[in-house]
Amino acid sequence: MRKQIEEKQTVRINKYLAMCGIASRRMADEIVAAGRVMVNGRVTAEAGLKIDPSADEIIVDGRMLALPEAKKVYILFNKPRNVISTNRDEKNRDTVLDHVIVKERVYPVGRLDRKTTGVLLLTNDGNLANKLMHPSSHVKKEYIAVLDNKFPHALLLQLTGGMRLKDTGEKVMPCQARILDDGLQIWLSIHEGKNHQVRRMFETLGFEVKRLDRVAYAGLAAGDLRRGDWRYLSRKEVQQLHQQAGITV
């Protein structure tokens, strides 16, 4: 697919933090040096690093930053396989912004791994994004996982009861799940967002996830939105997201 072509406008990371109202430029240097800033998913301690505000994802203390925008936009994207859920990729692979081309600086709310398909929300409303991603919002994420072997009913309680992941020993919260027709497909609803959580849950029980599709996020489903396509949310959908996030508008 044709890459989006933009004139690259860079700014030092400390200046960008100041522009976003995080701190003075001097204090921003200390925040960067303390390892509290992530650029495109990686921690940086380089105060002189230059970033592109129109393309790079900047997170400070777990909060995504964005410059004030006159117009807030909210987009639902049906992500294809092998598309990266960041605004820029060092390996020059397809990213969400190669498919969602708008004039506003939008960012993915959370991430889907490269192999996972399905519903992804993008916005320039940093406050809403941060609220939705915070565990206290209990935002539901629904998936359909296709496994390498049939899943037995005897393991359903173990899957949904709040397990410990085999690789790290982390505890995940109870969830909902349902075995679909052939037993190779499982519908799963979680409200956490640990890295590769669904895949790791099934790996803990001895199953490999061959395909994973997120069919709904915060009540938003792809519907007839084809893979690789996107649409703006309706006013009602935006209001529902704000309600879920506990934001009064």
Side-chain angles (χ1 to χ4, degrees), residues 50-63:
K50 290 190 175 183
I51 58 99
D52 180 359
S54 68
D56 293 325
E57 179 187 75
I58 314 299
I59 294 177
V60 178
D61 295 335
R63 292 177 58 86

Side-chain angles (χ1 to χ4, degrees), residues 187-206:
W187 171 88
L188 190 75
S189 176
I190 64 175
H191 61 261
E192 293 178 287
K194 298 184 188 301
N195 195 32
H196 303 296
Q197 180 173 334
V198 173
R199 296 183 188 275
R200 294 165 65 201
M201 288 172 68
F202 282 108
E203 287 170 3
T204 297
L205 298 177

